Amino acid sequence: MEIGIDKIGFYTPEVFIDMEKLAEARGVEPAKYTIGIGQEKMAVAPLSQDAVSMAANAALEVLDDEDKEAIDFVLLGTESGVDHSKSGAVWVHHLAGIQKYARSVELKQACYSATAAITMAMGHISLHPDRKVLVLGTDIAKYGLNTGGEPTQGAGAVAIVLSANPRILALDADSVSMSEDISDFWRPLHSDYALVDGKFSNQAYLNFLTDVWGEYKQRTHRDLSDFEALCFHVPYTKMGKKALKALTEQASEEDTARLMGYYEPSISYNKAVGNIYTGSLYLSLLSLLEQGPELPENARIGLFSYGSGAVGEFFSGKVKPGYKSHMMKEAHESLLSNRRELTIEEYEAILQQSLPKDGTDVALDFEETSTGSVVLKGVQDNIRQYGIK
Ligand code: CAA
């Protein structure tokens, strides 16, 4: 029985900044951000869009009544959690209207946890082939103003429906993962902003990639010629290019040309959104499937997931015939093109806003600042108030 991705949706907030303008404001050569980092635009989340509302918006884009009846497991991966106890998955389960006999759980391991959720989903569906699982990767990447990480921020969510006999990508049970206790990127409980050892994080990412890829090759006896395309965790698009270069260093010209040929379509959405941590790999996959040419029937895609701290995983899937007709290309293009550009001053003000930390009630101005149908309306009696706009 094949298990994999039956549907994939995406949401990003309605406002963004232009990377050239950010560079000018920071006194940096614009080419550093657009070429050196590889980002054109960066999504910004107003207070009315948090990890829960963005995930719910991504889910609502793809779920129909049949899905809402068949889903009995909601797994939400995030490192932008909004409560130390209650999982964001419970809110999304409610906001998306999923039938009540379902498990709802949040998972954390930096940018990696949505991949763990997918593995759990595959196990669940192999035991219960008539059920579906909703996996969400949702995050707001925030390093703070005037930091090295500032040009690699972003915000958004990906929602994936996994099922038996999937229509988009059949996943293989071939994944190789590895864990190592390192401090390349983390966010202490007291901080709204991530802390990072930037250069070390880049190196750690590449070390994990080459290590799990080597082990994957040994275990599966596959090599690059078995892959039509590769997708990577994309904290910024230049990192995706570094990853591709690392894997193709000793590859044949033919393999290198084929894999490099898919690089641009696979980063098109990431370039316009920025880092969305847990969802970044899946945003790249979505970008490849929607913006790339139709992949040959049963073409194999290799996927590398990386979450600082750190866990890495290499796995693969085969595209299903006719997958293009199940993509939502026009909707995603219009989501991105209908966004409003913020001035750098507006962005700076939004980035520094946060909800009161002392339990005070707050009502948010969500009409003006949020196009998503699900919004955070405020906080009352220490309870977050989500609603459909
Ligand atoms: N024109 C073109 N390119 C230019 C340029 C110019 N005028 N000026 C500089 N560049 C290039 C540099 O040569 C460099 O390219 P290479 O990486 O290919 O050498 C690139 O622009 C970046 O320049 P720096 O290395 O000087 O940039 P920096 O020190 O300001 O920091 C960063 C870059 C480390 C990525 C930083 O933005 C950061 O810390 N980001 C957050 C951490 C991160 O995203 N890490 C990724 C791996 S960890 C992970 O993946 C998990 C996660 O999601 C966080």
Side-chain angles (χ1 to χ4, degrees):
M1 177 180 62
E2 286 188 333
I3 301 172
I5 298 178
D6 191 54
K7 289 184 175 181
I8 177 163
F10 163 58
Y11 174 79
T12 190
E14 64 152 335
V15 284
F16 72 95
I17 54 167
D18 179 279
M19 295 305 286
E20 291 195 354
K21 291 181 189 157
L22 180 65
E24 279 158 27
R26 298 290 174 261
V28 168
E29 179 72 31
K32 173 171 176 184
Y33 289 179
T34 55
I35 298 167
I37 300 277
Q39 290 301 129
E40 280 171 5
K41 291 174 181 165
M42 188 168 92
V44 180
L47 278 186
S48 53
Q49 285 300 336
D50 65 9
V52 169
S53 63
M54 292 192 303
N57 283 318
L60 283 172
E61 184 189 40
V62 288
L63 299 185
D64 60 22
D65 289 346
E66 200 192 317
D67 297 322
K68 291 175 194 177
E69 277 307 307
I71 290 170
D72 68 348
F73 208 170
V74 180
L75 286 158
L76 183 142
T78 190
E79 51 184 301
S80 316
V82 299
D83 193 282
H84 285 310
S85 175
K86 181 172 176 173
S87 83
V90 171
W91 274 298
V92 175
H93 168 269
H94 167 69
L95 291 161
I98 292 163
Q99 62 85 24
K100 75 172 179 181
Y101 297 106
R103 296 187 181 93
S104 302
V105 180
E106 184 171 311
L107 290 92
K108 178 173 69 182
Q109 175 31 54
C111 307
Y112 166 75
S113 60
T115 302
I118 284 176
T119 307
M120 292 167 77
M122 288 174 71
H124 181 70
I125 295 164
S126 68
L127 291 173
H128 308 281
D130 55 330
R131 308 312 305 190
K132 295 183 182 180
V133 178
L134 174 63
V135 168
L136 304 142
T138 178
D139 273 299
I140 299 173
K142 254 172 124 168
Y143 297 88
L145 303 178
N146 289 297
T147 58
E150 186 180 27
T152 64
Q153 300 177 127
V158 172
I160 300 172
V161 177
L162 290 113
S163 71
N165 307 315
R167 288 172 292 180
I168 295 177
L169 191 76
L171 292 166
D172 289 315
D174 61 351
S175 58
V176 173
S177 41
M178 71 178 265
S179 299
E180 198 182 330
D181 178 6
I182 58 170
S183 301
D184 57 332
F185 165 107
W186 67 104
R187 183 161 70 87
L189 290 177
H190 63 80
S191 178
D192 286 341
Y193 300 116
L195 303 180
V196 64
D197 184 340
K199 296 282 187 290
F200 176 45
S201 73
N202 288 350
Q203 199 46 57
Y205 174 118
L206 293 175
N207 291 347
F208 269 69
L209 171 65
T210 47
D211 202 331
V212 288
W213 168 241
E215 183 67 19
Y216 179 91
K217 279 198 297 185
Q218 246 186 7
R219 289 191 198 178
T220 61
H221 307 293
R222 289 189 188 129
D223 62 26
L224 288 178
S225 62
D226 294 302
F227 293 88
E228 179 65 21
L230 297 172
C231 286
F232 302 95
H233 168 57
V234 181
Y236 55 95
T237 71
K238 180 72 164 293
M239 192 71 229
K241 194 172 246 175
K242 285 176 197 275
L244 197 48
K245 274 197 176 146
L247 287 200
T248 52
E249 228 164 33
Q250 281 154 22
S252 69
E253 261 179 48
E254 191 191 338
D255 287 343
T256 306
R258 185 186 63 259
L259 297 168
M260 287 285 179
Y262 290 112
Y263 169 71
E264 281 300 330
S266 78
I267 49 118
S268 165
Y269 293 166
N270 305 71
K271 212 183 227 182
V273 170
N275 197 354
I276 59 166
Y277 291 158
T278 47
S280 289
L281 165 63
Y282 302 99
L283 183 59
S284 176
L285 174 65
L286 182 67
S287 190
L288 171 69
L289 297 177
E290 291 187 346
Q291 297 299 321
E294 177 125 25
L295 297 169
E297 216 163 279
N298 291 318
R300 187 183 295 284
I301 301 178
L303 299 124
F304 174 65
S305 180
Y306 178 73
S308 292
V311 179
E313 182 161 325
F314 191 93
F315 60 111
S316 79
K318 282 181 171 175
V319 291
K320 297 302 299 171
Y323 73 91
K324 279 264 184 197
S325 61
H326 304 294
M327 308 309 298
M328 306 176 91
K329 183 171 184 267
E330 286 75 28
H332 297 141
E333 284 171 353
S334 93
L335 176 72
L336 292 173
S337 62
N338 289 334
R339 294 179 299 169
R340 181 168 64 83
E341 184 179 345
L342 295 171
T343 64
I344 298 304
E345 291 72 28
E346 286 174 315
Y347 146 74
E348 291 180 343
I350 290 176
L351 202 86
Q352 293 177 91
Q353 286 168 356
S354 59
L355 294 173
K357 292 203 164 59
D358 60 359
T360 315
D361 287 355
V362 62
L364 297 175
D365 168 19
F366 56 86
E367 291 295 344
E368 282 291 304
T369 53
S370 196
T371 47
S373 65
V374 176
V375 291
L376 175 65
K377 295 185 169 178
V379 182
Q380 206 181 336
D381 299 329
N382 283 300
I383 300 171
R384 288 168 107 89
Q385 308 292 317
Y386 293 101
I388 310 274
K389 219 165 91 171

